[in-house]
Amino acid sequence: MATTHSLNAANPAQNAIVKASAGVGKTYLLVTRLIRLLLDDVAPDAILAITFTRKAAAEMQSRLYERLYVLAISDKDQVQQLLESMGVTANKSSIDKAQTLYEQILQSPKQVKSTTFHAFCQDILQKFPLEADIPPGFELLEDIASYQQSAWELLYDEVTRDPECLSAKALETLFDLTGGIQNTHDSLNNFLQQRADWWAFTYQADGDVVGYATHLMMQSINYVADENIYALLFNDSEKQRIYRVIELWHLHGTKTILKHIQQLQEIFTTGVFDEQALDNKVYDTAFDGLWSVFYKTNNEIRESEPKNARAKKMGEAGEDEFLRLFTQVAITLQLIKDKRNVEFNYQLNQAWYTAGNRLIEIFQQIKATQRLLDFTDLEWKTYELLNHSDNALWVQYKLDQRIKHLLIDEFQDTNPTQWRLLLPIMEEFEFNEEARSVFIVGDEKQSIYSFRRADPLLLNQAGDWLREHLNGAEFPMDKSRRSSPEIMHLVNAVFESELYQPIFNTFAEHSTHLTHIPGWLRL
């Protein structure tokens, strides 16, 4: 049962975001709000409750009917107590209504809609297929594995027929840079699974989505195309510095130092300092050799501190000059390494974009020929319909006529596309004079679906939006009804630690209704 404070969140007149930890009674609170909406004579089909699994949606519906049934079979005194426990003023009218609500709902042709995000999107697209630019009567594809394999086979056929095409070159680059075919497959399968993020990232592209994404990526990593990064190193001034390092270092010629000197001398014979080497691999090899001399295996500069033994051989002036020159060359090498890493990232991502986008295109074409949409398509097409289509305002208006009260469970599992398709619906609430309400429940700590693009930070973003636009309020529920004090102490210790505070900076200390460890926890 919810606390008096949290019961305020069940008030249909209050737009609310509830941060509910595990075992605190958030499902009870959610169903309580549903019952209070019905008691306020809200039409059942004007209520939409969204959660993330079919099982959870069915459980929500079951809990609602169970509690309505209890109200129907209880005597008036019991109903009065139940209503008061839900924050409802108990009088003859509310008691009579509560006792007949179960029968009314059962007989009503329209029920409270408890559904999943995907089912909600599917329902909208089925009603507005032409507006969403999808085939009417489309079917839902749930198992994409065989279609994904078909897309791979068609991609391989394409690059085999034309080894010089962009996709073929991109695949070859990925093979080289990721370490083989398995890593290439894994990276591109991940690209395919996250295609909604790719569509969102390239939405403003004018035709060439890969070129658009590549341009943005180049800006973000400060990559300069066609830059000769080795020109900073293989030039006459750096050559003279390294020569002088060899001369001074030779004065302190231990066995190890002599090996390093020999390695440097061999690099000079490759012609890299005299612009005789034209093969990039020669420059790469020479750089790697210089790096291994000037840096230790832990990437620390090999000679960075004064040494008395070396100073005796070189003299104080020689020691100062040696350290200065050694450090200057090492800094140049680090600069080149940073630029090489940027170039590597550019080549890797550009190839990933090219091959990944082509794989998505083929995958989407296969489904389109069979009038199929998958779960990602449902979300993305609904997002486009409600935000960017020519009929967006009209569709929003039609939905606003139908949906008047929105409840969203497990909000920490929401992904950016889902959040963006909900926003237009809630924005309609903001400017509607009729009674509208939003109720959101979530807990960042329970977000475990990152592989489905879930973003727990959206819970705070949604809360900010509700407060700013719908005068919403936040209601924390952090007192567990099923965990011992010891478990709550551990939870507090973990999420108040320095490791998690930057992420959960609004975390409030959790407590429990229990005063001892239940027997089943001791087993």
Side-chain angles (χ1 to χ4, degrees):
M1 197 172 288
T3 63
T4 302
H5 174 66
S6 62
L7 274 177
N8 293 329
N11 184 350
Q14 174 67 65
N15 292 298
I17 182 163
V18 178
K19 291 192 174 181
S21 188
V24 298
K26 60 102 175 175
T27 304
Y28 176 89
L29 182 67
L30 191 153
V31 174
T32 296
R33 184 164 177 123
L34 289 174
I35 294 174
R36 290 187 61 169
L37 284 167
L38 295 172
L39 288 171
D40 283 354
D41 293 322
V42 172
D45 60 327
I47 303 170
L48 175 65
I50 300 177
T51 188
F52 283 82
T53 65
R54 294 170 183 169
K55 180 180 179 181
E59 181 183 358
M60 190 188 305
Q61 200 87 5
S62 176
R63 294 275 194 96
L64 173 61
Y65 287 129
E66 285 175 4
R67 288 180 58 184
L68 291 179
Y69 176 73
V70 170
L71 288 171
I73 64 171
S74 299
D75 61 35
K76 293 190 182 298
D77 289 340
Q78 291 173 321
V79 172
Q80 178 179 342
Q81 293 176 6
L82 290 171
L83 290 178
E84 290 174 349
S85 72
M86 291 188 285
V88 177
T89 301
N91 52 40
K92 184 179 186 303
S93 175
S94 61
I95 292 172
D96 290 343
K97 186 179 295 183
Q99 289 185 308
T100 60
L101 206 51
Y102 180 66
E103 183 179 357
Q104 291 175 4
I105 293 296
L106 287 182
Q107 292 179 351
S108 173
K110 297 179 179 180
Q111 301 290 308
V112 173
K113 189 78 170 178
S114 175
T115 187
T116 65
F117 255 109
H118 293 136
F120 170 60
C121 293
Q122 186 174 0
D123 180 56
I124 291 177
L125 295 177
Q126 286 173 337
K127 286 180 171 61
F128 305 101
L130 299 180
E131 293 83 354
D133 192 26
I134 59 174
F138 68 86
E139 295 184 9
L140 181 62
L141 172 66
E142 296 191 34
D143 181 12
I144 69 170
S146 61
Y147 287 82
Q148 185 171 309
Q149 181 59 38
S150 296
W152 270 108
E153 291 171 0
L154 289 175
L155 178 61
Y156 278 135
D157 287 343
E158 181 176 282
V159 301
T160 301
R161 289 193 306 270
D162 185 5
E164 295 302 313
C165 70
L166 293 176
S167 299
K169 292 180 178 179
L171 282 175
E172 184 177 358
T173 299
L174 287 173
F175 289 160
D176 291 340
L177 299 185
T178 64
I181 190 170
Q182 186 59 52
N183 289 337
T184 297
H185 265 254
D186 291 344
S187 67
L188 290 178
N189 283 334
N190 182 63
F191 195 98
L192 184 62
Q193 291 164 5
Q194 306 295 324
R195 59 193 178 280
D197 287 332
W198 172 248
W199 291 333
F201 181 47
T202 58
Y203 197 82
Q204 296 182 343
D206 186 15
D208 183 9
V209 295
V210 173
Y212 174 84
T214 300
H215 175 70
L216 292 180
M217 179 263 293
M218 290 172 65
Q219 290 181 322
S220 69
I221 65 175
N222 297 318
Y223 175 74
V224 179
D226 301 322
E227 180 184 19
N228 181 7
I229 61 175
Y230 286 132
L232 296 170
L233 176 62
F234 298 122
N235 55 59
D236 190 62
S237 59
E238 290 297 330
K239 177 181 179 180
Q240 297 307 317
R241 283 195 184 98
I242 296 174
Y243 266 138
R244 183 57 178 156
V245 166
I246 292 175
E247 290 177 350
L248 292 169
W249 218 4
H250 203 281
L251 297 175
H252 187 51
T254 65
K255 187 176 180 180
T256 300
I257 289 174
L258 291 176
K259 286 183 178 180
H260 291 321
I261 290 173
Q262 182 182 0
Q263 189 173 353
L264 292 176
Q265 290 171 337
E266 290 174 355
I267 291 172
F268 281 117
T269 65
T270 63
V272 290
F273 284 99
D274 303 313
E275 298 185 357
Q276 297 174 10
L278 300 178
D279 189 344
N280 284 336
K281 291 184 178 179
V282 176
Y283 288 105
D284 290 340
T285 302
F287 173 86
D288 292 339
L290 286 169
W291 182 272
S292 67
V293 171
F294 282 83
Y295 282 88
K296 302 175 185 178
T297 55
N298 63 358
N299 292 327
E300 291 182 357
I301 297 177
R302 188 175 298 279
E303 302 290 356
S304 59
E305 299 293 335
K307 293 180 180 178
N308 292 331
R310 189 173 58 217
K312 289 180 180 179
K313 300 288 182 67
M314 298 182 184
E316 292 297 333
E319 169 77 351
D320 291 342
E321 182 185 9
F322 172 78
L323 288 176
R324 176 174 57 81
L325 294 174
F326 201 98
T327 301
Q328 287 175 344
V329 174
I331 290 173
T332 301
L333 287 169
Q334 183 62 62
L335 179 61
I336 299 297
K337 186 174 185 180
D338 292 342
K339 287 181 174 291
R340 287 212 319 181
N341 289 337
V342 169
E343 185 171 42
F344 175 88
N345 285 331
Y346 164 77
Q347 293 173 348
L348 177 65
N349 283 285
Q350 202 275 338
W352 192 49
Y353 292 167
T354 301
N357 184 66
R358 186 58 189 142
L359 184 62
I360 289 174
E361 288 177 342
I362 294 172
F363 180 68
Q364 294 298 110
Q365 288 168 4
I366 294 173
K367 291 184 298 176
T369 59
Q370 300 183 46
R371 305 169 69 87
L372 293 171
L373 298 182
D374 61 23
F375 289 142
T376 299
D377 297 326
L378 293 178
E379 290 181 0
W380 182 256
K381 287 297 184 180
T382 305
Y383 158 75
E384 284 190 307
L385 175 65
L386 294 176
N387 288 273
H388 300 295
S389 74
D390 294 337
N391 299 289
L393 293 178
W394 181 76
V395 175
Q396 291 171 21
Y397 169 76
K398 296 296 287 184
L399 289 178
D400 184 62
Q401 294 297 105
R402 190 181 72 176
I403 303 170
K404 295 179 171 53
H405 300 276
L406 180 63
L407 300 90
I408 310 168
D409 192 18
E410 306 292 1
F411 199 86
Q412 74 278 353
D413 295 327
T414 303
N415 66 45
T417 305
Q418 293 166 342
W419 167 235
R420 295 299 301 181
L421 69 86
L422 286 173
L423 263 180
I425 298 172
M426 294 194 295
E427 286 169 349
E428 287 292 318
F429 286 14
E430 182 179 6
F431 301 106
N432 201 305
E433 295 181 358
E434 294 183 51
R436 298 288 192 276
S437 72
V438 177
F439 178 82
I440 292 174
V441 183
D443 179 17
E444 303 104 309
K445 302 188 302 304
Q446 297 183 63
S447 182
I448 59 174
Y449 292 112
S450 59
F451 65 94
R452 296 180 183 171
R453 303 171 52 243
D455 184 356
L457 296 180
L458 290 175
L459 183 61
N460 289 330
Q461 187 174 335
D464 292 340
W465 191 93
L466 276 183
R467 281 188 290 271
E468 181 178 352
H469 296 274
L470 295 178
N471 196 30
E474 183 174 309
F475 298 88
M477 293 182 69
D478 44 41
K479 196 166 186 178
S480 176
R481 295 182 176 276
R482 66 183 181 216
S483 294
S484 70
E486 287 76 8
I487 292 178
M488 289 295 97
H489 177 74
L490 177 60
V491 169
N492 291 330
V494 169
F495 290 100
E496 289 175 345
S497 67
E498 293 182 2
L499 178 63
Y500 287 101
Q501 268 302 296
I503 304 172
F504 298 98
N505 53 16
T506 60
F507 176 80
E509 186 173 285
H510 287 28
S511 59
T512 177
H513 287 275
L514 302 179
T515 58
H516 67 286
I517 302 177
W520 60 270
L521 277 177
R522 299 193 190 101
L523 299 178

